[in-house]
Amino acid sequence: MSSNSNDTSTCVALIMGQKKLFCGLTVASVFVLGFYQLALRPALPDDGDWSGTRDVPGVLLQLEQKLSENRDTSSSSNYKPGADLLAEDDISSNRSTSDGYEPLKKIYPELYEKIPKTFHKRYKNPCFMDHESKKLRCLPYFYLVGMPKCGTTDLWAKLVGHPQVIDVPKEPHWWARRRNGWTKTPIHQGQVNRVRQMTKMKDDSSIEWYFNWFEAFAGSQLKKNKEAVCGDGSVSTGFMSLENWRGNFPGSKEPPFSLADLMYTLQPSAKIVFILREPVSRYFSAHLYNGGHNAKSFSNAVEKNVECMQTCIKNRSDRVCAYQQACDVFLCPPVQWRQRD
């Protein structure tokens, strides 16, 4: 992905210490979303040189204020962001499967059995001691979840350049893809094979594979520096959802839960970085990246797939159409992506 600021309209609010930290390139359409449960936390102490990236453009502060003012707190939605559930200085706060999330625990028992309700308070990163394997197990402190062609690779390079952010391979694609049986290695082939040798299972779907990913590439550094953190930069986390929702929730007219819901119940204090980009530029970039040839082929693809989405919306809810697989995934990436590759 290009690091040219003209091609990557990005901004991030990654909260890691005592101030909000925004890393911005050219800003077009940017929203920092409470994708799961996101209680904004302060940033790392002023140690290290980030070449001026601590300066927050005024327009971003205005945008954040406007979003806060316009937030609808009277929504009747069953989803309840849990900002008030977490103490600001406690990454080990209890998770809960109440408030309608109990079905997820029945469908994904391994996750709820192996991911503890609390993490070790001596580590800033969410880690715990697995008494069975006698190993330190860790999950990401933050997730950079997308979207594709929005400058995530450039931003990731800046984040891991901080002395307290461990430079692990960016995109394991575990939550959205490997957890569901995907075994391709378009990137990180050597690293994926290394973790497979550690896990010794037929595929990458077990949570043990994900634990081993961070043991392999961050474990030793986390043990040496308990203030260090690591992340997961898989963009698929942002636009894919729970597999087989029709089978798991028979009779449902639309997906009752998303991948965000599952991750929220398991790791409610995770920090989420969500990047969006002006949609026409983003789609054109994705079109070329995935085999499109020119402006004419792009125009044809837009007409075809806009019509596809409009047809769907006439007959189904917006939520169903976001999950359906008939239209081009790069127009509006569905959260349940057909594994075409």
Side-chain angles (χ1 to χ4, degrees):
M1 181 176 292
S2 170
S3 61
N4 188 323
S5 63
N6 292 326
D7 297 329
T8 53
S9 301
T10 61
C11 176
V12 60
L14 173 59
I15 314 305
M16 298 187 57
Q18 298 176 353
K19 296 178 182 177
K20 295 178 184 177
L21 175 62
F22 288 79
C23 304
L25 300 178
T26 305
V27 178
S29 299
V30 178
F31 298 89
V32 180
L33 306 178
F35 186 59
Y36 308 105
Q37 187 289 46
L38 178 55
L40 291 180
R41 292 183 62 158
L44 287 165
D46 289 328
D47 54 352
D49 179 15
W50 274 40
S51 302
T53 55
R54 294 183 182 275
D55 295 331
V56 183
V59 65
L60 298 182
L61 292 176
Q62 295 173 19
L63 173 59
E64 183 188 29
Q65 181 178 5
K66 182 174 292 187
L67 290 173
S68 177
E69 293 172 352
N70 293 340
R71 188 175 295 117
D72 182 5
T73 58
S74 63
S75 172
S76 60
S77 169
N78 290 328
Y79 185 80
K80 298 179 180 179
D84 58 335
L85 299 180
L86 296 172
E88 288 233 336
D89 59 350
D90 186 8
I91 197 172
S92 62
S93 299
N94 288 342
R95 70 163 186 256
S96 172
T97 53
S98 59
D99 298 327
Y101 293 119
E102 194 63 32
L104 296 175
K105 188 173 182 180
K106 297 178 181 178
I107 297 172
Y108 307 103
E110 182 200 28
L111 298 181
Y112 290 92
E113 289 171 3
K114 294 191 174 181
I115 297 178
K117 292 183 178 180
T118 59
F119 297 109
H120 204 307
K121 291 186 178 182
R122 292 181 61 190
Y123 291 85
K124 188 182 185 78
N125 200 81
C127 297
F128 67 97
M129 183 59 66
D130 181 5
H131 297 292
E132 182 177 344
S133 66
K134 308 299 183 183
K135 293 181 178 180
L136 182 70
R137 295 303 203 183
C138 299
L139 291 171
Y141 180 84
F142 69 93
Y143 292 88
L144 173 56
V145 298
M147 296 293 286
K149 313 311 295 180
C150 291
T152 60
T153 300
D154 184 81
L155 177 57
W156 180 264
K158 290 178 169 57
L159 293 176
V160 299
H162 194 285
Q164 288 184 234
V165 180
I166 300 172
D167 186 5
V168 300
K170 176 176 179 271
E171 300 188 61
H173 287 294
W174 186 81
W175 283 101
R177 308 195 73 181
R178 297 194 185 282
R179 188 177 60 85
N180 300 320
W182 187 72
T183 58
K184 302 291 185 179
T185 54
I187 57 173
H188 307 323
Q189 183 176 4
Q191 294 94 329
V192 169
N193 288 335
R194 175 182 171 183
V195 175
R196 286 174 177 169
Q197 292 175 1
M198 296 171 63
T199 310
K200 296 180 176 151
M201 294 184 178
K202 63 179 182 179
D203 58 28
D204 311 329
S205 60
S206 171
I207 185 64
E208 293 296 329
W209 190 96
Y210 199 50
F211 287 152
N212 285 337
W213 182 267
F214 294 102
E215 179 185 349
F217 305 115
S220 61
Q221 295 178 70
L222 288 170
K223 291 175 184 177
K224 293 177 183 177
N225 181 4
K226 293 179 174 57
E227 291 299 312
V229 299
C230 59
D232 181 338
S234 306
V235 294
S236 58
T237 307
F239 63 83
M240 296 175 68
S241 188
L242 299 181
E243 71 287 352
N244 191 28
W245 65 268
R246 290 183 175 86
N248 287 330
F249 307 101
S252 298
K253 295 183 178 179
E254 59 183 27
F257 298 101
S258 68
L259 179 56
D261 292 317
L262 176 63
M263 295 176 71
Y264 162 62
T265 64
L266 292 165
Q267 204 180 343
S269 58
K271 308 308 168 193
I272 310 303
V273 183
F274 206 121
I275 309 175
L276 300 180
R277 179 181 177 183
E278 186 273 307
V280 176
S281 298
R282 193 212 67 83
Y283 187 34
F284 184 55
S285 178
H287 176 74
L288 297 178
Y289 182 80
N290 290 281
H293 301 293
N294 49 40
K296 183 177 181 180
S297 65
F298 174 66
S299 178
N300 292 337
V302 169
E303 290 180 7
K304 175 183 176 181
N305 291 293
V306 166
E307 181 180 359
C308 179
M309 290 298 294
Q310 289 176 337
T311 301
C312 182
I313 291 171
K314 287 179 182 179
N315 301 300
R316 299 175 178 85
S317 69
D318 292 352
R319 187 173 175 87
V320 170
C321 292
Y323 283 71
Q324 63 92 31
Q325 302 175 7
C327 305
D328 184 359
V329 298
F330 291 104
L331 173 66
C332 179
V335 214
Q336 190 175 14
W337 191 5
R338 177 177 60 232
Q339 295 179 1
R340 305 182 301 175
D341 54 350

